Amino acid sequence: MCAQNTVVYARSLTKRYAEVEAVRGIDFAIHAGECYGFLGVNGAGKTSTMKMIYCRVARTAGELLVLGMDPARDASRIKQRLGVVAQENALDPELNVEENLLLYASFFGITGNGARDRARELLDLLAISAKSKALVRELSGGMKRRLVIARALVNRPDILVLDEPTTGLDPQARLLVWETLTRLINSGLTLLLTTHYMEEAARLCGRVAVIDEGRILAEAPPAQLVTQYAAEDVLEIVDADGRLPADTQLDGLVARRERHGDTVYLYNADNRVLLHRMAALGFDPPRHVARRATLEDVFLNMTGRELVE
C-alpha cells in the first residue's frame, strides 16, 4: 500500500517484450515534490519503466499506481495530469515555436487567450521568448529541448516525466536545461527522470535508483550511494603491474580495491593521506589520478562497467 504523499508506486513491476524481460520485478515509490532518477546504461530498463508510468506501454506483471490510479484502467485520466518529455523531440517543423505550444495546448482543451497566455508564460520561463516566431528548424538543439519541456508543462502537470532530457546536447546547452529543471524542482513540481549521466543525476535528483539489466541494484540520495558503495576519495593507478602495496601495508586506509582493465581503483577517505603512506613505503605511482568518488564509481562497483557506453 502506498503512502499518502506517494505519486508513483510500483511493486514487482515487470515488462516483457516477447522473450526479452526488460524490467524484472522492480519496487519503488516516488513522493510528491521530489526529483527521482533512474540511473543506468542504455538498455538497462529505464525507458521501459517510464513508458509504463506515462501509459505508453502496458505492464506485463506487478502493481503500478500513478497519482493513485492504475494505468491499465485509468490511462486517459493519468495522461491529463502528466507532462512527458520523451527522448525524441517530436516537434512540428512546419510551425513556429509559439504555434507548437498552442497546438499542444489544444489537446488539453486549452484554447484562445488562455492558451496564448500560457504559451507566453512558458516561453518566458524557459528563456526562449525571443524565438517565439521562429520555425523549429531554426532552433539550436538546446532550444528545441527547452521547447519540448515547455510543451510538457502546458497542462500544469502534477508530474513531469523526462526520459534522457539532455542526451545529445553540448555541455552549454545541457547546463541551461539543468538550470531550468532546477527551477522547476525548487517550485515544488515532482520530476521523474532517466539518465546515464552521473553528473545529471547528482545535480538534480533527491533520490536515485541505480538500474541495470532490468533490476534496481540500489536506491538512495546520490551522496549516500557514493558513501555506501564507494568512498569519499578514489585513487586511480594505471599500469600498476602488481607493484602496489598490499592493503595490510596501508594501515586500513583503503576501504575498497577494484581492478578494471589496466587500472586499479583504491577507494579511501583521503587521497593525500593514502599517497603519503604509499610514499613512506617507497611507492610513487607513475600514472595516477586522485579525485572525489562519484556515482560513476557506484555503478562501476556494482556492475563492473562504466555508465556511459
Side-chain angles (χ1 to χ4, degrees), residues 41 210-212 295-303 305 307:
V41 297
V210 178
I211 187 168
D212 188 51
L295 286 172
E296 186 87 28
D297 298 295
V298 172
F299 197 84
L300 185 65
N301 288 338
M302 286 184 165
T303 69
R305 63 184 188 277
L307 268 168

Side-chain angles (χ1 to χ4, degrees), residues 12-306:
S12 301
L13 183 62
T14 302
K15 180 60 186 178
R16 298 187 190 94
Y17 300 96
E19 301 302 316
V20 177
E21 194 170 34
V23 180
R24 304 183 179 189
I26 61 175
D27 301 339
F28 61 90
I30 300 166
H31 309 308
E34 76 169 328
C35 180
Y36 185 96
F38 288 103
L39 178 69
V41 297
N42 293 332
K46 307 186 304 296
T47 295
S48 292
T49 300
M50 296 290 257
K51 286 181 175 179
M52 287 187 281
I53 291 171
Y54 65 78
C55 309
R56 178 72 179 272
V57 300
R59 67 184 183 273
T60 303
E63 185 179 357
L64 177 63
L65 294 174
V66 181
L67 297 167
M69 296 175 281
D70 186 338
R73 297 190 302 267
D74 302 304
S76 295
R77 292 171 59 201
I78 291 171
K79 289 177 181 179
Q80 289 292 316
R81 297 175 61 186
L82 298 183
V84 178
V85 178
Q87 289 187 21
E88 305 81 18
N89 288 332
L91 296 164
D92 191 326
E94 302 304 317
L95 301 180
N96 67 32
V97 167
E98 184 180 41
E99 289 168 344
N100 265 275
L101 293 183
L102 295 177
L103 175 64
Y104 197 71
S106 70
F107 300 156
F108 294 92
I110 306 170
T111 58
N113 290 335
R116 283 187 287 273
D117 290 345
R118 183 61 174 157
R120 283 193 291 268
E121 177 186 348
L122 291 170
L123 292 175
D124 286 341
L125 175 67
L126 277 297
I128 48 177
S129 294
K131 296 290 185 178
S132 63
K133 302 303 180 183
L135 294 176
V136 167
R137 61 174 172 264
E138 299 171 8
L139 302 180
S140 67
M143 285 184 177
K144 288 178 183 176
R145 208 59 178 149
R146 279 183 281 161
L147 177 56
V148 172
I149 295 172
R151 185 182 63 181
L153 294 170
V154 160
N155 60 322
R156 303 184 188 276
D158 294 297
I159 305 172
L160 181 62
V161 180
L162 307 110
D163 194 5
E164 303 285 1
T166 62
T167 294
L169 298 184
D170 62 65
Q172 184 178 13
R174 182 175 296 131
L175 184 60
L176 288 172
V177 171
W178 287 348
E179 290 173 351
T180 298
L181 296 180
T182 298
R183 289 199 300 272
L184 294 174
I185 294 166
N186 292 339
S187 75
L189 181 62
T190 304
L191 268 63
L192 170 59
L193 65 87
T194 71
T195 184
H196 59 258
Y197 293 127
M198 55 151 184
E199 186 180 357
E200 185 162 89
R203 180 185 288 260
L204 297 175
C205 298
R207 287 190 300 146
V208 170
V210 178
I211 187 168
D212 188 51
E213 297 183 346
R215 294 188 175 91
I216 292 177
L217 304 183
E219 178 197 72
Q224 183 177 326
L225 286 173
V226 172
T227 299
Q228 185 172 353
Y229 294 99
E232 292 294 322
D233 283 0
V234 185
L235 184 63
E236 297 183 19
I237 303 176
V238 184
D239 295 326
D241 295 328
R243 294 178 290 112
L244 281 173
D247 288 350
T248 53
Q249 298 176 275
L250 296 174
D251 302 331
L253 295 176
V254 176
R256 184 187 187 101
R257 181 187 297 230
E258 296 282 343
R259 186 181 188 99
H260 300 282
D262 62 355
T263 303
V264 174
Y265 298 79
L266 301 180
Y267 293 92
N268 66 95
D270 190 326
N271 279 324
R272 294 168 300 179
V273 175
L274 179 58
L275 284 166
H276 182 77
R277 176 59 182 157
M278 285 184 166
L281 293 170
F283 182 79
D284 182 19
R287 294 176 58 197
H288 70 275
V289 176
R291 59 174 176 81
R292 301 286 287 175
T294 68
L295 286 172
E296 186 87 28
D297 298 295
V298 172
F299 197 84
L300 185 65
N301 288 338
M302 286 184 165
T303 69
R305 63 184 188 277
E306 295 178 350

